[in-house]
Amino acid sequence: MNTLKYKIKPAIYLEDKELWIFNNEILDMPLSMIEDGIISCKRVMSGEYPVMHWGLEVSELFINKEITTLEYHGKFVTELPTKEICRMLEKYRDKLKEYENHDGSM
């Protein structure tokens, strides 16, 4: 008999249904990729770079100072405020770190 293998970890729930694939890709990312997305947003918002791309498996963010464009397989999906993307990734990163550092005691 096989044993059930699973992980329970923090999740992001985006209310906009057109963002489901973006949401799922973020949930599958390691912490290092989340950090890379945050750094990319901050570098663009600070003016260090005019634009950066943060590629996911089938989605890609084109990060500009104010607005980030989400594409799915190279096709436009939506535009989102860069500051909000960065804030969401930071909050998710913090929850992941909290989860990973949790020693199991209550």
Side-chain angles (χ1 to χ4, degrees):
M1 180 190 319
N2 292 332
T3 60
L4 181 62
K5 296 178 185 176
Y6 62 92
K7 287 184 181 180
I8 297 172
K9 66 179 192 177
I12 298 173
Y13 296 100
L14 296 170
E15 293 181 10
D16 192 335
K17 294 199 186 296
E18 68 182 359
L19 299 176
W20 69 271
I21 192 72
F22 174 62
N23 186 69
N24 289 342
E25 286 187 78
I26 290 173
L27 296 178
D28 287 337
M29 288 181 180
L31 186 57
S32 61
M33 282 189 74
I34 301 296
E35 291 283 3
D36 183 57
I38 294 166
I39 290 167
S40 296
C41 287
K42 287 185 175 187
R43 285 181 170 168
V44 173
M45 288 189 302
S46 74
E48 184 178 344
Y49 292 99
V51 66
M52 290 188 81
H53 301 240
W54 187 50
L56 308 169
E57 191 169 319
V58 294
S59 302
E60 186 168 12
L61 293 178
F62 294 87
I63 305 166
N64 290 287
K65 189 169 187 161
E66 299 292 327
I67 300 294
T68 293
T69 302
L70 174 64
E71 290 187 358
Y72 175 71
H73 286 296
K75 294 183 180 173
F76 176 84
V77 175
T78 192
E79 290 181 331
L80 303 159
T82 301
K83 192 180 288 186
E84 288 182 23
I85 293 285
C86 189
R87 189 176 310 126
M88 178 191 69
L89 292 175
E90 287 174 325
K91 287 181 178 183
Y92 182 57
R93 175 208 54 204
D94 294 346
K95 286 295 181 186
L96 278 178
K97 283 183 177 180
E98 190 178 297
Y99 166 78
E100 290 177 358
N101 291 328
H102 183 65
D103 65 3
S105 61
M106 299 294 275

